[in-house]
Amino acid sequence: MAPKISQAIKALREAAPQARLVTPDSPGEYQLLNDSYLSGFESDLLPACIYLPKSRDEVATFVRTIKPFVYSEVKFAVRAAGQQPLPGCANVQDGITVDLRDLKGIEFHDGVVRVAAGERWGNVYKFLEPLGLGVTGGKSTSCGIGGLATQGGLSFYSSREGFICDNVVNFEIVVASGEIINANAQENADLWVSLRGGGNNFGIVTRFDLRTFAQGPMYGGMVFYYKPSFYGQVAALVKELTSPSADVETHFMLSIAFAQAFGNGNEVTCLNQVYYTKPVADPAVLAPFIHMEPQIRALNSVKMQTLVQAATEQTGAGQSRVRCLYMNVNVKADVDTLVAGGDIWCQELEAVKEVAGLMCSYTLQAYPVSLLRNTGTNGGNVLGLEPSEGPIVNVLLLTYWADKEDDERVLDFMKTSLGRIEESAEAKGQRVPFVYWNYAYSHQNALQSYGEENVRKLREASRKFDPDGVFQVGCPGGFKLFE
């Protein structure tokens, strides 16, 4: 261990004697913690120490203590749930990882739910459901709060309520000075807006206060079908998104997927994950997406369900502790562009179909005009998307596989597919320059895609709240403002 990191850990033990610090000297506990990320790319990184604060004061102590060391090459990372696969975004090699899992607590007051940074969305939903309330949060119970609430975030309710970050009415945050402050529409409003898309560039958020709304059961689930029907499904999606009367109660995810576990031979399968957020059975707006034929009836899970049930189903559809990467591009809601992207992905897929444990998808998620309008209505963010640009469709390339030895092969498949899809959309005049941080890979600089004016705002906020660049120099994960 390098002398400086040893000194930093020693200083941290002295400054926070009651805090929990785990090093490789405790191999069982250390490995259990470090292996608990969604993606093996994060677990590949081996921090010198994992610091697990139990309170905001212990977070503040960390920031004050580590600050003098970051100029001596000591690096740190901040982890909430560890569900984002971007390599290095929540872990750090030979540095200190701040693991927020012990920051717990959920409270409700005057229509606002206050959520500690170590919670997961499933606990939030279970807390709110008996109150007849919902919140714009992650679509899986295992998702953490921090990444989604500071980088954008898509929800079952985003068509109606906007991005997850647009629904945060207050961030409690430890800034670079070690001070604990609030950022909201009345206090530190510039920081409040910057945190709505600016990620980990300004401090460590210890609590998120989110607007709630009345919410009962919703109708939806998963429908599996076959590739020849995908064109018609995309056409139905674009028709709904571009309709002057597009329904704000809908959430659509359309995928072409391949998994050896499907038992479908060498063929892809298509999947719709669609929801209507009111307790209306079989609403007409979902009919094209749930009643197509032929479909795999045995796998159809569409029903009336609660938010907890829907998010639990999404959790079960995912993977964990495997090799995992995301990449994404955004395009206009154009049928030919979206179908062409799927065809490109299927072509490139042929080269990796025999990779052990492969499960991957070409997934479409919409940013309806109604979603984009909520940015202005709810106080603004820094993502740089305007309602006049909508509707927009996010194209997510998602891949899981088993073995590290296949990393380069899978990465080449994903980068090649993405590059060709981007070129195709560009040639058609349908590409949108925005990159969605939650789904970005290392070579996709999400921050720079927000536009020059928003980058300027973010840099101003960084200089104001972190004048010495602690979170630019010391916390290298994610995307930085002065790269």
Side-chain angles (χ1 to χ4, degrees):
M1 187 182 299
K4 288 296 182 181
I5 187 65
S6 296
Q7 293 170 22
I9 293 171
K10 181 175 182 292
L12 197 54
R13 289 189 189 278
E14 293 173 352
Q18 304 303 315
R20 183 180 171 201
L21 285 85
V22 179
T23 68
D25 294 333
S26 303
E29 185 179 15
Y30 176 89
Q31 185 171 353
L32 186 66
L33 291 169
N34 206 55
D35 284 353
S36 62
Y37 290 88
L38 166 67
S39 174
F41 282 87
E42 288 284 71
S43 297
D44 288 346
L45 302 172
L46 302 174
C49 172
I50 302 172
Y51 178 78
L52 298 102
K54 297 183 291 293
S55 68
R56 65 180 192 173
D57 291 328
E58 288 188 350
V59 175
T61 297
F62 170 82
V63 173
R64 288 193 299 268
T65 304
I66 201 68
K67 183 175 180 179
F69 292 95
V70 301
Y71 311 111
S72 302
E73 303 302 319
V74 173
K75 306 299 181 186
F76 67 93
V78 181
R79 171 187 179 169
Q83 295 292 294
Q84 188 173 346
L86 176 64
C89 71
N91 205 5
V92 62
Q93 181 68 36
D94 299 323
I96 301 174
T97 294
V98 182
D99 188 329
L100 302 177
R101 70 178 67 203
D102 291 338
L103 287 185
K104 298 293 189 183
I106 304 171
E107 300 175 349
F108 178 75
H109 183 69
D110 288 341
V112 172
V113 62
R114 298 173 177 172
V115 184
E119 292 287 356
R120 301 202 182 201
W121 286 112
N123 290 334
V124 180
Y125 300 153
K126 290 173 185 176
F127 177 90
L128 291 175
E129 193 170 279
L131 304 177
L133 298 172
V135 66
T136 307
K139 291 176 286 186
S140 166
T141 56
S142 65
C143 283
I145 315 299
L148 290 171
T150 62
Q151 299 169 16
L154 291 171
S155 166
F156 291 116
Y157 307 115
S158 283
S159 294
R160 188 181 74 209
E161 308 292 341
F163 287 108
I164 293 172
C165 69
D166 292 331
N167 287 268
V168 181
V169 297
N170 180 70
F171 298 89
E172 179 187 86
I173 181 172
V174 179
V175 291
S177 65
E179 183 183 4
I180 303 168
I181 67 174
N182 289 295
N184 52 59
Q186 289 75 42
E187 302 174 79
N188 304 304
D190 49 352
L191 179 58
W192 177 54
V193 174
S194 294
L195 284 165
R196 291 170 151 200
N200 62 358
N201 280 286
F202 308 100
I204 301 177
V205 179
T206 53
R207 195 188 75 221
F208 300 84
D209 301 348
L210 297 110
R211 182 176 59 85
T212 65
F213 42 80
Q215 182 63 48
M218 56 185 175
Y219 187 80
M222 302 184 185
V223 182
F224 290 82
Y225 58 102
Y226 301 98
K227 178 66 162 49
S229 298
F230 189 68
Y231 183 97
Q233 292 298 293
V234 173
L237 175 66
V238 171
K239 180 180 179 181
E240 170 59 22
L241 293 176
T242 56
S243 168
S245 57
D247 198 320
V248 300
E249 303 295 344
T250 57
H251 178 71
F252 299 106
M253 294 173 63
L254 275 59
S255 300
I256 306 173
F258 177 82
Q260 294 157 354
F262 284 170
N264 195 30
N266 208 36
E267 299 301 317
V268 297
T269 302
C270 292
L271 165 64
N272 290 351
Q273 295 161 281
V274 294
Y275 300 88
Y276 191 75
T277 58
K278 294 293 185 184
V280 177
D282 201 11
V285 68
L286 292 192
F289 306 98
I290 60 178
H291 295 308
M292 85 291 287
E293 292 293 348
Q295 62 174 267
I296 306 173
R297 287 284 172 187
L299 299 179
N300 186 313
S301 69
V302 176
K303 60 183 178 295
M304 196 71 72
Q305 54 187 318
T306 66
L307 174 55
V308 171
Q309 290 169 332
T312 299
E313 181 179 54
Q314 289 289 322
T315 304
Q319 296 281 306
S320 63
R321 300 179 188 179
V322 293
R323 314 305 289 174
C324 172
L325 286 179
Y326 300 164
M327 296 180 189
N328 77 105
V329 61
N330 290 276
V331 302
K332 297 281 191 178
D334 176 74
V335 175
D336 289 343
T337 301
L338 296 169
V339 171
D343 290 342
I344 289 168
W345 182 83
C346 287
Q347 292 164 14
E348 297 297 335
L349 174 65
E350 292 299 322
V352 293
K353 278 186 174 178
E354 76 280 10
V355 166
L358 187 70
M359 186 173 94
C360 53
S361 72
Y362 169 89
T363 295
L364 310 180
Q365 296 184 77
Y367 308 158
V369 173
S370 56
L371 181 159
L372 301 176
R373 284 187 182 133
N374 274 288
T375 293
T377 303
N378 291 335
N381 62 40
V382 292
L383 301 178
L385 296 172
E386 299 294 335
S388 59
E389 298 179 273
I392 297 169
V393 177
N394 177 268
V395 178
L396 164 64
L397 307 185
L398 175 155
T399 308
Y400 300 108
W401 66 104
D403 299 325
K404 188 173 182 178
E405 65 189 37
D406 290 316
D407 286 358
E408 289 303 317
R409 188 177 175 190
V410 173
L411 186 57
D412 182 66
F413 151 63
M414 294 183 72
K415 282 187 172 181
T416 302
S417 299
L418 181 71
R420 289 186 60 198
I421 292 167
E422 289 173 336
E423 289 174 3
S424 173
E426 195 77 53
K428 293 178 172 63
Q430 300 297 318
R431 184 178 175 186
V432 176
F434 172 73
V435 175
Y436 181 54
W437 185 336
N438 295 120
Y439 296 159
Y441 184 62
S442 305
H443 73 299
Q444 300 186 284
N445 194 322
L447 286 175
Q448 296 302 318
S449 78
Y450 295 175
E452 184 176 334
E453 178 60 19
N454 283 309
V455 171
R456 182 191 63 78
K457 290 178 182 178
L458 288 164
R459 287 175 174 169
E460 285 183 357
S462 175
R463 292 187 183 104
K464 179 178 177 181
F465 293 96
D466 185 10
D468 298 318
V470 172
F471 285 87
Q472 299 304 307
V473 176
C475 185
F479 301 104
K480 301 289 102 175
L481 290 168
F482 299 95
E483 292 179 330

